[in-house]
Amino acid sequence: MSEPLRWGILGTGGIAHTFASDLRFTDQGVVTSVGSRSLASAEAFADEFGVAHRRGSYEALVEDYDVDVIYVATPHPMHLANASLALEAGKPVLVEKALTMTGEEARTLVALARSTGLFLMEAMWTRHLPHILKLRELVASGALGDLVSVEADHGQWFARNPAHRLFAPELGGSALLDLGVYPVSFASMLLGTPERVLALVDPAFTGVDGQVSMLFGYASGAQSILTCTSSARTATRACVSGTDARVEIEGDFYAPTTMTLIARDGQRHRMEFSTQGRGLHYQAEEVARCLREGATESPRMPTDESASIMETMDRVLSLH
């Protein structure tokens, strides 16, 4: 078996902790270095997870010879600069979702990755979960018939703290970019880029978008109904309906969960999937697979699709 991929984690926030924790569930990756703008923060993170190298700057992290790939775990506004720094240092990159702040930034980052010949993937970890892989298999096999509609929602309650990343404009505060990206990406995975975009966008108390309801129309005639909010813990379920059957995914649809295939005549087949942790290790395994094979992107989360998703969200937010 090949040696595990050596990860350098750029940023020490909550999602970085979850990623490092979930790497314990795979033998294909290990954290060897962590970088922060504060050495004290890097030291604390490294002590918690037993990481050998602690870097007090992002520049030092991406230049680390003991790192094969960089995981960018900073807030959205920093993604373009941080991922570019890693690519320019010759390091493949996994970038937290949303990939960037805008479609234009996304296209810039994708172009840089292609010009350097390096791997780039948005860390939409949902794409790699067992139930999502099974869903894609069902759709591809024709088990649902022609797709007619996709419904998905993601709502979480956050205390009204103007410094919180969901509400602070300088941190990319946005219910859509942080929460709604899951339903939008889910619909994109199944139906592609919408031709028509309708939306209601209401602000949170700081002025950033706080609740969004979206209706997308596609060339096939299918439609998506997608919602997100930072003001309430919603059901966070999803449903994919076709002419022959539908799949209902229990909450949280974007995390490890169960789903049920329901035929047009009402026959039900419940599917359960076993996993460990939050499931972020599956995307790490996909990165390892791609790098072993010399691929510069993943077919599960292509870079052009990530950019298209950002452009769709640009269209939605233009209605704000």
Side-chain angles (χ1 to χ4, degrees), residues 176-296:
L176 181 62
L177 293 183
D178 201 277
L179 306 174
V181 65
Y182 286 97
V184 174
S185 183
F186 183 72
S188 174
M189 177 186 76
L190 295 164
L191 296 172
T193 301
E195 287 193 341
R196 293 167 292 158
V197 173
L198 302 175
L200 289 176
V201 184
D202 286 328
F205 67 100
T206 57
V208 303
D209 60 282
Q211 181 161 323
V212 185
S213 294
M214 295 160 275
L215 178 62
F216 295 168
Y218 304 85
S220 65
Q223 297 178 354
S224 290
I225 303 170
L226 315 170
T227 62
C228 66
T229 180
S230 55
S231 298
R233 181 65 165 90
T234 60
T236 64
R237 292 191 291 260
C239 181
V240 182
S241 299
T243 51
D244 296 333
R246 72 180 186 274
V247 171
E248 295 182 354
I249 306 177
E250 298 179 11
D252 300 321
F253 82 88
Y254 53 85
T257 188
T258 59
M259 66 186 194
T260 303
L261 175 66
I262 306 170
R264 195 169 55 224
D265 63 7
Q267 291 189 46
R268 306 171 72 91
H269 173 57
R270 182 179 170 84
M271 289 168 274
E272 297 185 356
F273 306 86
S274 176
T275 189
Q276 295 174 295
R278 287 291 285 168
L280 271 68
H281 59 289
Y282 292 116
Q283 67 180 350
E285 291 176 348
E286 174 66 0
V287 173
R289 183 193 69 79
C290 289
L291 292 180
R292 281 197 307 269
E293 296 178 2
T296 55

Side-chain angles (χ1 to χ4, degrees), residues 5-23 30-36 45 49 58 61-62 67-75 78-79 82-87 91-99 119-125 182 278-281 283-284 287 291:
L5 202 60
R6 299 173 300 174
W7 285 90
I9 297 184
L10 193 154
T12 55
I15 195 65
H17 281 75
T18 304
F19 183 78
S21 294
D22 277 5
L23 273 183
V30 61
V31 184
T32 57
S33 189
V34 59
S36 174
F45 188 98
F49 293 102
Y58 299 151
L61 175 71
V62 301
V67 168
D68 299 315
V69 58
I70 298 293
Y71 170 53
V72 173
T74 48
M78 296 78 169
H79 286 180
N82 295 160
S84 296
L85 184 72
L87 290 168
K91 293 292 197 296
V93 188
L94 175 68
V95 187
E96 251 315 310
K97 43 81 195 130
L99 183 65
F119 178 86
L120 172 68
M121 187 175 82
E122 180 184 16
M124 179 48 73
W125 53 285
Y182 286 97
R278 287 291 285 168
L280 271 68
H281 59 289
Q283 67 180 350
V287 173
L291 292 180

Side-chain angles (χ1 to χ4, degrees), residues 91-166:
K91 293 292 197 296
V93 188
L94 175 68
V95 187
E96 251 315 310
K97 43 81 195 130
L99 183 65
T100 53
M101 284 293 291
T102 66
E104 182 179 4
E105 285 189 357
R107 294 293 178 189
T108 297
L109 186 58
V110 170
L112 176 60
R114 288 177 177 164
S115 71
T116 59
L118 293 167
F119 178 86
L120 172 68
M121 187 175 82
E122 180 184 16
M124 179 48 73
W125 53 285
T126 302
R127 292 278 175 117
H128 313 282
L129 296 176
H131 73 285
I132 295 298
L133 297 182
K134 181 62 177 180
L135 171 64
R136 297 186 78 162
E137 179 185 310
L138 289 170
V139 171
S141 73
L144 276 63
D146 296 329
L147 294 188
V148 174
S149 69
V150 171
E151 303 163 62
D153 96 280
H154 188 186
Q156 304 288 344
W157 178 88
F158 295 93
R160 290 167 60 93
N161 175 4
H164 191 278
R165 61 184 176 81
L166 261 292

Side-chain angles (χ1 to χ4, degrees), residues 25-39:
F25 302 121
T26 178
D27 60 4
Q28 297 183 44
V30 61
V31 184
T32 57
S33 189
V34 59
S36 174
R37 290 173 298 183
S38 159
L39 181 58

